[in-house]
Amino acid sequence: MPDYIQELLSLARGGNTEQPKATDLPVLVNIAPEQRKSLRYNSPELDEYASFVEQRYGLPPGLIKAIKNSGERSNSNQVSLKGAQGVMQFIPGTWKQYGKDADPTDPVASIDAAGAYFKDLLQRYNGNVDAAVTEYNGGVKQAQAVA
């Protein structure tokens, strides 16, 4: 299991460094990265993992799943005209901040990064989901107009 997943799971368990039981983790974590990349953006495994990440970051239920399945609708290998990659369509600058050194085409890394990013966005906009989603999709200027 990659280090960044271990670190995120530790944080999700309140800093508990004990190894989680296999039954505590979403199915997706136990799938090899190359197999994860072949999953469609709306696969049940990615939806389950999105719910796991929403809970871990204290996000509104369904937020990441809605963005992934209704907004982005991209598979792991898709790249937009602006260079956004992966199931959560991160542009390179934002990926560098939230995805760290992970592979943006790995849906686990992409969904994890989206969770961290949305947590920050919701803090920035005092819980205003509309402003957070607007910045995620369109940038700061558009979000400020909504906030």
Side-chain angles (χ1 to χ4, degrees):
M1 183 177 313
D3 290 341
Y4 71 92
I5 293 175
Q6 288 288 11
E7 181 180 338
L8 289 170
L9 291 172
S10 173
L11 291 172
R13 294 187 307 274
N16 183 354
T17 57
E18 291 179 26
Q19 283 288 81
K21 298 177 197 126
T23 56
D24 293 342
L25 300 173
V27 171
L28 189 62
V29 175
N30 296 315
I31 297 174
E34 290 308 313
Q35 286 180 293
R36 294 192 300 240
K37 291 177 188 182
S38 70
L39 295 170
R40 287 192 44 82
Y41 69 89
N42 59 353
S43 74
E45 296 88 351
L46 294 183
D47 289 348
E48 176 193 31
Y49 195 72
S51 295
F52 173 76
V53 169
E54 290 163 353
Q55 289 175 2
R56 182 174 62 221
Y57 284 105
L59 301 174
L63 177 63
I64 292 175
K65 182 179 173 184
I67 295 297
K68 177 177 69 63
N69 293 352
S70 299
E72 301 307 336
R73 298 175 61 186
S74 298
N75 293 314
S76 293
N77 61 347
Q78 290 182 272
V79 180
S80 76
L81 296 175
K82 294 196 178 208
Q85 298 183 64
V87 295
M88 297 306 295
Q89 287 290 286
F90 273 92
I91 59 171
T94 308
W95 181 258
K96 188 173 184 180
Q97 183 176 358
Y98 289 96
K100 312 287 186 225
D101 294 325
D103 177 359
T105 65
D106 180 351
V108 166
S110 190
I111 293 169
D112 283 336
Y117 188 28
F118 270 116
K119 181 178 178 182
D120 285 354
L121 290 172
L122 287 168
Q123 289 174 342
R124 180 178 309 150
Y125 295 109
N126 298 313
N128 184 331
V129 175
D130 290 341
V133 170
T134 300
E135 181 169 334
Y136 187 92
N137 285 314
V140 175
K141 284 185 182 179
Q142 290 85 346
Q144 289 173 339
V146 171

